[in-house]
Amino acid sequence: RHYGYDRFPLRLPGIAVGQAARKAPQAAKVELVRELCLGLGFDEAISSVLVSRATETFGESPAVVLSNPLSEESAVLRSSLVPGLLSALQWNLNRGSESVRLFEVGNIYRREGEGYAEPPRLALVATGDRMGAALGQPGKSVDFLDLKGDLEQLAELFDISSCDFDSEQLPDYYRPGHRARLVIEGERVALLGELHPQVAERWKFRRPVYLAEMHLDSLLRRNLNSPRVQPISRYPAVERDFSVLLPEAR
């Protein structure tokens, strides 16, 4: 500014020739997760990593506080993807949308020892109708089982040996009796359930809202579930329908 912008020469920066762009090691797996979420009817959302201190209640660990925040609304780095998705959901509902299904893939931020960690996460939120009303058939609202089935399909992308659900060690912002966690090979991988009515009231949601949070780093360590081809049996099963006529005397 002091030197003068007009005194800088107008030329493009140099480009290194022969260095091809390379994708991150887990990019292919993350892309499959995104494609499946889109196929399940979710729209992708992208929220800011800078949030207010009020969102710390959604994180599993204390938020990373900025030393020179621009405002109180962006004073910490997010420790959960849930607040950003709830804000996007609220924005859509306030503008006339009745059925909204969103997902986001991104990093959260937390302290880890003397440094910091940025583990990847996947979050989903859904409310409204899963299936619209048709001729002679009423609409069906999104419920807990719909989100549970979506998480099962996401887990099936990877090579896993066991997949179970339980209801232990769940956050308070999920409604009791309507929440669960996904455990894969003894490791907690995801949380899901209905948003607690008190929390939903603070966000001014008038319909039940369902959330899911998945630890992508736990899944990305595993290999993708490749299709396995098996030969067709040389002796396939044969079904026959026999009709037997017997005299009434017997």
Side-chain angles (χ1 to χ4, degrees):
R1 183 167 57 87
H2 294 283
Y3 181 75
Y5 292 114
D6 56 328
R7 302 179 65 179
F8 287 93
L10 300 177
R11 62 171 180 265
L12 295 175
I15 301 176
V17 181
Q19 296 182 358
R22 293 180 298 176
K23 290 187 176 182
Q26 309 293 356
K29 297 179 181 179
V30 175
E31 190 62 28
L32 284 177
V33 170
R34 279 196 172 96
E35 291 178 0
L36 180 56
C37 289
L38 293 171
L40 292 173
F42 291 86
D43 295 313
E44 185 171 8
I46 301 176
S47 58
S48 174
V49 301
L50 300 177
V51 296
S52 66
R53 297 175 186 269
T55 63
E56 291 187 39
T57 56
F58 291 98
E60 298 178 357
S61 58
V64 178
V65 181
L66 299 181
S67 58
N68 55 344
L70 298 177
S71 67
E72 286 298 322
E73 296 300 320
S74 57
V76 299
L77 294 174
R78 65 185 180 190
S79 57
S80 171
L81 298 181
V82 172
L85 276 187
L86 292 182
S87 297
L89 176 64
Q90 188 182 60
W91 191 93
N92 282 273
L93 294 178
N94 290 340
R95 282 155 180 80
S97 298
E98 297 182 356
S99 301
V100 183
R101 305 179 73 183
L102 301 173
F103 81 94
E104 182 173 4
V105 176
N107 294 341
I108 64 170
Y109 303 87
R110 66 188 183 196
R111 292 184 178 275
E112 195 168 278
E114 298 296 328
Y116 300 90
E118 303 177 15
R121 294 288 187 266
L122 165 67
L124 304 99
V125 62
T127 188
D129 293 335
R130 180 179 66 87
M131 183 181 300
L135 183 62
Q137 184 178 4
K140 184 182 183 302
S141 300
V142 175
D143 57 20
F144 175 85
L145 296 179
D146 292 325
L147 210 57
K148 176 176 177 290
D150 295 338
L151 289 186
E152 288 175 336
Q153 292 193 57
L154 287 167
E156 289 175 357
L157 288 175
F158 299 88
D159 187 10
I160 58 178
S161 59
S162 63
C163 177
D164 302 300
F165 288 89
D166 62 27
S167 57
E168 300 178 4
Q169 300 177 357
L170 292 165
D172 294 335
Y173 53 85
Y174 286 105
R175 180 181 175 185
H178 298 75
R179 56 188 180 182
R181 68 173 187 171
L182 173 64
V183 180
I184 294 178
E185 298 174 355
E187 180 182 4
R188 187 188 70 168
V189 174
L191 308 174
L192 74 149
E194 181 183 345
L195 187 65
H196 197 286
Q198 294 180 355
V199 181
E201 185 178 358
R202 289 199 297 268
W203 286 83
K204 300 181 180 180
F205 294 135
R206 300 177 181 176
R207 303 185 66 172
V209 175
Y210 295 90
L211 297 173
E213 306 167 73
M214 179 169 281
H215 295 194
L216 271 186
D217 49 343
S218 300
L219 289 178
L220 296 179
R221 292 196 299 265
R222 296 171 167 84
N223 296 324
L224 291 173
N225 190 10
S226 302
R228 298 178 182 179
V229 180
Q230 296 180 352
I232 300 176
S233 175
R234 296 178 58 185
Y235 306 101
V238 177
E239 296 183 0
R240 295 186 181 182
D241 184 12
F242 291 92
S243 298
V244 181
L245 298 177
L246 298 175
E248 293 184 359
R250 297 185 182 181

